[in-house]
Amino acid sequence: ERLAASGLGVPLVVELTAPQAADPELVGEIRRVLDDTGLPPDRLRPGFPAAVLTADTGDAADNIRVLAEIGVPVELHGFGDATCLAEFPVRGVRLAPNLVARREHPLVTGTLSALVDAAHAAGASVSADGVETPAQAEWWQERGADLVSGPAFPELPDGLPAC
């Protein structure tokens, strides 16, 4: 409600657990929250664990598809394998923390570049979490990340929490 009322153009990212992502009641609950708060569907970003798509082809996959149909852009969190982007209407990915933490290792840098390119080719935005300094934010920007979050960014106005 506070975010909807604030007028800020930032998304509300909600990181889901694997059981939450596969909950058959998830879409109904999201619809209820959107109706109750007035938050536009495109401002909510439920984050599905990427692993749920490799381990589950049932309710989690159905939830992603239905959410896309109603205009809620789903993110995959812990993203490290681009093959799922060919099957699911995902609008954003959050890179896997182990890749983000090792971003400057020569083997990982190449992998990150390929993942960012693959995500963009699939029409998804790319975010990196854990950015601690402006220099790190610039590093990610140079590699094509669309969004960064972490300790380098202050709280949002009106007491809204940063991602």
Side-chain angles (χ1 to χ4, degrees):
E1 289 173 341
R2 289 185 1 223
L3 182 60
S6 74
L8 295 173
V10 297
L12 174 61
V13 178
V14 179
E15 193 159 340
L16 302 174
T17 64
Q20 289 170 327
D23 186 341
E25 303 297 320
L26 177 66
V27 173
E29 183 65 19
I30 287 176
R31 285 179 193 233
R32 185 190 64 73
V33 168
L34 293 174
D35 288 343
D36 290 352
T37 64
L39 187 69
D42 65 342
R43 297 275 300 289
L44 179 62
R45 302 278 171 83
F48 281 59
V52 77
L53 296 181
T54 57
D56 181 310
T57 57
D59 289 329
D62 291 343
N63 285 341
I64 289 173
R65 289 184 180 104
V66 174
L67 289 170
E69 289 172 9
I70 65 171
V72 176
V74 171
E75 290 186 355
L76 288 182
H77 290 187
F79 180 69
D81 178 2
T83 58
C84 60
L85 295 178
E87 298 179 45
F88 300 100
V90 175
R91 294 279 192 79
V93 297
R94 183 172 295 203
L95 296 168
N98 63 327
L99 292 175
V100 172
R102 294 176 182 87
R103 70 187 171 281
E104 293 188 34
H105 187 283
L107 296 175
V108 175
T109 299
T111 299
L112 286 170
S113 295
L115 285 172
V116 169
D117 290 346
H120 286 153
S125 64
V126 177
S127 64
D129 191 16
V131 175
E132 297 176 349
T133 66
Q136 288 177 4
E138 184 177 329
W139 189 94
W140 282 108
Q141 183 179 23
E142 290 170 358
R143 278 143 191 90
D146 302 291
L147 303 166
V148 294
S149 61
F153 303 96
E155 293 287 318
L156 295 172
D158 300 324
L160 294 170
C163 332

